[in-house]
Amino acid sequence: QAEAYLLDAVGRAPDTPEIHEALTALALDRGDAATAAAHCRRLLELVPRHAFAQRALRVLEASAPAA
Protein backbone atom coordinates (compact mmCIF):
# COMPACT_ATOMS: atom_id res chain seq x y z
CA GLN A 1 0.00 0.00 0.00
CA ALA A 2 2.87 2.40 0.77
CA GLU A 3 4.45 1.65 -2.58
CA ALA A 4 1.23 2.39 -4.47
CA TYR A 5 0.85 5.68 -2.62
CA LEU A 6 4.46 6.68 -3.35
CA LEU A 7 4.26 5.70 -7.01
CA ASP A 8 1.11 7.79 -7.35
CA ALA A 9 2.85 10.67 -5.60
CA VAL A 10 5.94 10.51 -7.80
CA GLY A 11 3.70 10.50 -10.86
CA ARG A 12 2.06 13.68 -9.66
CA ALA A 13 5.24 15.38 -8.37
CA PRO A 14 8.29 13.78 -10.05
CA ASP A 15 10.64 16.51 -8.85
CA THR A 16 9.98 16.00 -5.13
CA PRO A 17 13.16 14.66 -3.50
CA GLU A 18 11.38 13.25 -0.46
CA ILE A 19 9.34 10.90 -2.61
CA HIS A 20 12.45 9.51 -4.32
CA GLU A 21 14.12 9.12 -0.93
CA ALA A 22 11.15 7.13 0.36
CA LEU A 23 11.05 4.99 -2.79
CA THR A 24 14.78 4.34 -2.44
CA ALA A 25 14.32 3.19 1.15
CA LEU A 26 11.36 1.01 0.20
CA ALA A 27 13.31 -0.62 -2.65
CA LEU A 28 16.29 -1.22 -0.35
CA ASP A 29 14.02 -2.84 2.23
CA ARG A 30 12.68 -5.14 -0.47
CA GLY A 31 16.14 -5.97 -1.82
CA ASP A 32 15.43 -4.36 -5.19
CA ALA A 33 18.85 -2.88 -5.93
CA ALA A 34 18.08 -1.75 -9.48
CA THR A 35 15.02 0.25 -8.44
CA ALA A 36 16.84 1.69 -5.42
CA ALA A 37 19.74 2.80 -7.61
CA ALA A 38 17.38 4.43 -10.11
CA HIS A 39 15.68 6.44 -7.38
CA CYS A 40 19.06 7.36 -5.88
CA ARG A 41 20.22 8.69 -9.23
CA ARG A 42 17.05 10.74 -9.65
CA LEU A 43 17.39 12.03 -6.12
CA LEU A 44 20.97 13.10 -6.86
CA GLU A 45 19.79 14.92 -9.98
CA LEU A 46 17.40 16.88 -7.79
CA VAL A 47 19.71 17.31 -4.77
CA PRO A 48 23.32 16.68 -5.88
CA ARG A 49 24.74 16.56 -2.35
CA HIS A 50 22.02 14.40 -0.81
CA ALA A 51 24.02 12.37 1.73
CA PHE A 52 21.67 9.39 1.97
CA ALA A 53 21.51 8.99 -1.82
CA GLN A 54 25.28 9.33 -2.18
CA ARG A 55 25.95 6.65 0.44
CA ALA A 56 23.24 4.30 -0.79
CA LEU A 57 24.37 4.55 -4.41
CA ARG A 58 28.01 3.90 -3.45
CA VAL A 59 26.97 0.75 -1.60
CA LEU A 60 24.67 -0.39 -4.39
CA GLU A 61 27.33 0.14 -7.05
CA ALA A 62 30.01 -1.58 -4.97
CA SER A 63 27.80 -4.63 -4.48
CA ALA A 64 26.54 -4.84 -8.06
CA PRO A 65 27.80 -7.79 -10.09
CA ALA A 66 30.43 -6.91 -12.69
CA ALA A 67 28.99 -6.49 -16.17
Side-chain angles (χ1 to χ4, degrees), residues 3 11-12 17 19-20 24 26 36 40 44-46 51 54 57 59-60 64 66-67:
E3 182 179 26
R12 294 172 188 261
I19 299 170
H20 290 283
T24 297
L26 184 62
C40 278
L44 289 169
E45 288 174 5
L46 297 168
Q54 289 174 334
L57 192 56
V59 170
L60 288 165

Side-chain angles (χ1 to χ4, degrees), residues 7-49:
L7 290 173
D8 180 62
V10 82
R12 294 172 188 261
D15 296 336
T16 304
E18 295 83 2
I19 299 170
H20 290 283
E21 184 175 358
L23 284 165
T24 297
L26 184 62
L28 288 170
D29 284 346
R30 293 185 174 175
D32 185 350
T35 299
H39 286 294
C40 278
R41 288 186 186 97
R42 180 64 181 133
L43 185 49
L44 289 169
E45 288 174 5
L46 297 168
V47 184
R49 293 179 176 252

